[in-house]
Amino acid sequence: EAQVTQNPRYLITVTGKKLTVTCSQNMNHEYMSWYRQDPGLGLRQIYYSMNVEVTDKGDVPEGYKVSRKEKRNFPLILESPSPNQTSLYFCASSTSGRTDTQYFGPGTRLTVL
Amino acid sequence: QKEVEQDPGPLSVPEGAIVSLNCTYSNSAFQYFMWYRQYSRKGPELLMYTYSSGNKEDGRFTAQVDKSSKYISLFIRDSQPSDSATYLCAMSGTGRRALTFGSGTRLQVQP
């Protein structure tokens, strides 16, 4: 089954404790992206990657890091999480020529205390 | 002012009604227009995709784009309780490197 998977699905942590949210896709997509979803603000892009070793900032990259060492994986790293990063996070992927038709993962609900 | 404006709802309609969902936008560079459906506790799923102006129909769903007015719509005919979800409009420009989303409209179809 073609899908985007994220882990963990739920995470409660404390300020300053480094964490990683993993994202993996099995569709051989070149393009991958991370979004956060907050009430009243919709989905906002954090980082995206056009292909392996190629990443770029989205609209709200502050406080986040990403890496793309393999085509299928695109982890999101919070080096020092803060309460304002409490949000619902989605990973998405698509073929490089169709970034407009992205497939989304199930989401990771992160709470930073 | 947000680049994409969408009424948050909630919009409550009886089963069988015609539903109209709308977004307005300010960036004239947007060329690709999408509607995503998001069920509670799930990721968004692509529902409709339209390039430039015009209409597109898929079953009970019709997407309309009016670039001159910077206005897009999604119509749902014969709405069903299973259509109850949040509907997100999204759009992108010719570079297609990022999607800009509306904040979503929550729809409830009452049986």
Side-chain angles (χ1 to χ4, degrees):
Chain A
E1 181 190 352
Q3 60 182 352
V4 178
T5 57
Q6 296 178 227
N7 282 292
R9 295 289 313 279
Y10 303 91
L11 179 60
I12 300 175
T13 189
V14 295
T15 299
K17 186 176 181 181
K18 180 179 178 180
L19 66 91
T20 300
V21 184
T22 65
C23 172
S24 183
Q25 51 90 8
N26 62 2
M27 296 169 278
N28 201 37
H29 284 164
E30 295 86 6
Y31 182 93
M32 297 186 74
S33 180
W34 276 102
Y35 294 86
R36 59 178 290 173
Q37 186 175 33
D38 302 289
L41 297 177
L43 282 143
R44 293 178 293 166
Q45 191 177 52
I46 302 170
Y47 269 95
Y48 65 92
S49 169
M50 297 297 288
N51 214 324
V52 176
E53 302 290 3
V54 181
T55 63
D56 209 346
K57 296 177 181 179
D59 297 321
V60 288
E62 294 78 18
Y64 305 94
K65 283 176 59 177
V66 293
S67 68
R68 186 91 182 274
K69 299 190 187 312
E70 305 168 279
K71 197 172 187 179
R72 63 182 291 128
N73 296 322
F74 190 43
L76 179 69
I77 303 156
L78 285 72
E79 295 268 2
S80 182
S82 63
N84 64 12
Q85 293 178 297
T86 292
S87 187
L88 181 57
Y89 291 86
F90 289 101
C91 180
S93 74
S94 72
T95 58
S96 61
R98 295 299 301 271
T99 58
D100 48 324
T101 51
Q102 296 180 32
Y103 296 89
F104 283 79
T108 295
R109 184 165 293 281
L110 172 66
T111 301
V112 183
L113 302 175
Chain B
Q1 185 187 1
K2 294 180 184 175
E3 243 182 330
V4 179
E5 297 279 358
Q6 187 174 5
D7 189 328
L11 180 62
S12 184
V13 301
E15 184 174 354
I18 296 175
V19 176
S20 172
L21 304 167
N22 311 294
C23 287
T24 59
Y25 64 96
S26 57
N27 188 343
S28 58
F30 288 145
Q31 298 275 0
Y32 302 88
F33 304 92
M34 290 131 276
W35 286 95
Y36 281 82
R37 179 175 61 195
Q38 185 177 19
Y39 290 114
S40 181
R41 302 182 188 279
K42 300 285 188 182
E45 57 177 329
L46 183 64
L47 198 58
M48 298 285 285
Y49 163 82
T50 310
Y51 170 68
S52 196
S53 286
N55 294 356
K56 186 173 184 178
E57 188 173 321
D58 184 1
R60 297 184 295 111
F61 298 90
T62 300
Q64 287 187 352
V65 175
D66 182 349
K67 289 190 68 183
S68 63
S69 301
K70 295 189 177 67
Y71 188 86
I72 70 170
S73 300
L74 177 70
F75 296 95
I76 307 174
R77 290 184 299 280
D78 187 25
S79 56
Q80 303 294 310
S82 58
D83 295 328
S84 297
T86 296
Y87 290 81
L88 300 152
C89 63
M91 42 200 82
S92 64
T94 53
R96 296 193 287 182
R97 286 178 178 266
L99 294 178
T100 301
F101 282 85
S103 55
T105 299
R106 190 154 64 92
L107 171 67
Q108 296 174 331
V109 181
Q110 308 292 343

